[in-house]
Amino acid sequence: MTELLIFNKITPQMRARLEGDFAASDWADVDPDPWIDAHCESVRFILTDGPTGVPNEVLESLPNVEVISNLGVGYDGVDTHIALARGIPVSHTPGVLDQEVANTTVMLYLACWRNFEAEMALARTGRWGDHGNLPLPHSPDGRVIGILGLGRIGKAIAAKLTPWARKILYHGRSKQDVPYAYHPDLVEMAAACDALINISPGGTGTYRLINREVMDAIGPSGVLINVGRGSTVDESALIEALEAGTLGKAGLDVFENEPDIPERLRRLPNATLLPHVASASIETRAAMGDLAVDNLIAWKERRTLITPVPETASLLCGR
Ligand code: A2R
């Protein structure tokens, strides 16, 4: 009988580790209704990731779930209100991906300013000679960089982008003891910076926080980078702003309806696009996979979690 139900795609290394400790099934491989009828009582553990999440109706049909392990730091696909109400603690994988996401952000930042997607495409066409070089872009040097979400990853991004920054600003719900300038108002920070980087969590609190007003404030010579969640940016307003040139450029790793990227966005020469790969190196994904599996094993062996999410941490008190 299945103890562990897996919703996301996992690496062979993760599967090898899990097979030693759990009887597991993949949700993608089962015929949902008959499978639930046969196995609903036996499932005690769930593994998923941020974008995949756990459908509430499936969770509802599994009465004996004890824990949900989320691969990745963002867990906006898991309804933590329902998990808390059911007494199900949730874990995630913070910390181990900070440097890799910051690496990707630096590459996206530089690629955006220097128009690398178009430059690389031109180099590959074989028409460089006929076409000549593209118009000169502005330099990434000496910029005022604003960070929305100066948490673990935001701080790693700030450190890695320091060589290009004349000044670093940040916005969040609270001021921190850091050597960067706090801006309690997001629109005001957007107006003050050359590049705004989003690395805040997804979910209702940040839903479309980067709206038309924020994009207008970044302005026609400014850059928006999104390595947080697609839901934080109003994607329709973003496409309109990039088409009209009221926002200069965008560098995007995340989108509203992944894996679909709207065709209008894909056609834009002033958008640099990545398929949600900010943490996607062999080493970092291995560390994230290990931590996600370690959390499941910690629960099975000791009824505790190594890296619980704050919303359900109270369920672990006294363990
Ligand atoms: O608001 P604060 O002072 O608690 O700062 C947090 C900020 N944040 C927000 N800022 C503005 N409006 C909000 N509604 C809001 N909610 C949270 O985001 C904090 O500085 C930052 C999140 O930092 P950490 O919790 O350390 O998360 P981490 O590991 O940096 O990952 C951030 C996100 C993930 O949730 C995934 O969506 C993505 O990066 O991979």
Side-chain angles (χ1 to χ4, degrees), residues 73-74 149-153 172-174 176 199-202 205-206 209 229:
V73 65
L150 192 76
R152 288 170 292 245
I153 304 175
R173 293 162 302 180
S174 47
Q176 305 181 44
I199 184 61
S200 62
T206 58
L209 215 52
R229 284 287 184 259

Side-chain angles (χ1 to χ4, degrees), residues 206-225:
T206 58
Y207 183 71
R208 294 194 176 167
L209 215 52
I210 301 181
N211 55 19
R212 190 180 303 275
E213 197 186 357
V214 174
M215 292 175 213
D216 284 349
I218 300 170
S221 53
V223 170
L224 170 66
I225 306 279

Side-chain angles (χ1 to χ4, degrees), residues 46 48 53-57 59-60 62-70 75-91 299 305 308-316 319:
I46 285 179
T48 190
V54 185
N56 283 340
E57 66 279 10
L59 189 58
E60 219 167 88
L62 303 170
N64 297 320
V65 172
E66 294 174 25
V67 74
I68 299 172
S69 173
N70 182 88
Y75 47 93
D76 37 315
V78 177
D79 190 327
T80 51
H81 291 105
I82 290 180
L84 184 63
R86 292 251 321 253
I88 303 170
V90 179
S91 67
W299 182 264
L305 290 173
V309 305
E311 291 88 338
T312 62
S314 60
L315 299 172
L316 299 162
R319 286 181 197 271

Side-chain angles (χ1 to χ4, degrees), residues 9-261:
K9 290 200 180 103
I10 63 171
T11 59
Q13 289 83 350
M14 281 183 81
R15 195 169 294 282
R17 281 196 69 200
L18 288 168
E19 272 170 6
D21 286 280
F22 300 91
S25 295
D26 288 87
W27 183 245
D29 295 341
V30 306
D31 186 2
D33 290 340
W35 193 90
I36 291 278
D37 285 345
H39 298 268
C40 64
E41 300 285 338
S42 65
V43 176
R44 294 168 56 205
F45 313 99
I46 285 179
L47 176 62
T48 190
D49 61 24
T52 311
V54 185
N56 283 340
E57 66 279 10
V58 179
L59 189 58
E60 219 167 88
S61 64
L62 303 170
N64 297 320
V65 172
E66 294 174 25
V67 74
I68 299 172
S69 173
N70 182 88
L71 178 77
V73 65
Y75 47 93
D76 37 315
V78 177
D79 190 327
T80 51
H81 291 105
I82 290 180
L84 184 63
R86 292 251 321 253
I88 303 170
V90 179
S91 67
H92 63 151
T93 64
V96 294
L97 73 178
D98 299 352
Q99 297 305 322
E100 205 61 65
V101 176
N103 288 338
T104 306
T105 308
V106 170
M107 290 188 275
L108 206 44
Y109 173 86
L110 294 174
C112 250
W113 280 106
R114 291 295 308 274
N115 215 10
F116 260 30
E117 208 180 298
E119 300 284 15
M120 289 192 280
L122 173 61
R124 282 184 188 276
T125 58
R127 291 176 37 241
W128 176 21
D130 302 336
H131 188 283
N133 281 106
L134 296 172
L136 292 174
H138 285 289
S139 170
D141 280 347
R143 298 292 170 186
V144 178
I145 299 175
I147 298 178
L148 166 55
L150 192 76
R152 288 170 292 245
I153 304 175
K155 290 187 181 79
I157 290 172
K160 289 211 191 219
L161 277 178
T162 291
W164 290 277
R166 176 156 51 88
K167 199 170 176 195
I168 293 180
L169 323 174
Y170 72 100
H171 170 77
R173 293 162 302 180
S174 47
K175 189 174 186 306
Q176 305 181 44
D177 184 17
V178 289
Y180 312 121
Y182 179 57
H183 284 249
D185 185 273
L186 179 58
V187 176
E188 188 255 327
M189 181 176 85
C193 64
D194 300 304
L196 190 149
I197 296 170
N198 174 50
I199 184 61
S200 62
T204 50
T206 58
Y207 183 71
R208 294 194 176 167
L209 215 52
I210 301 181
N211 55 19
R212 190 180 303 275
E213 197 186 357
V214 174
M215 292 175 213
D216 284 349
I218 300 170
S221 53
V223 170
L224 170 66
I225 306 279
N226 190 7
V227 283
R229 284 287 184 259
S231 58
T232 305
V233 173
D234 181 339
E235 203 164 86
S236 303
L238 173 68
I239 292 168
E240 282 168 19
L242 289 170
E243 283 177 346
T246 52
L247 172 67
K249 295 180 179 182
L252 309 169
D253 183 50
V254 288
F255 304 89
E256 258 179 10
N257 291 308
E258 295 176 12
D260 296 327
I261 304 176

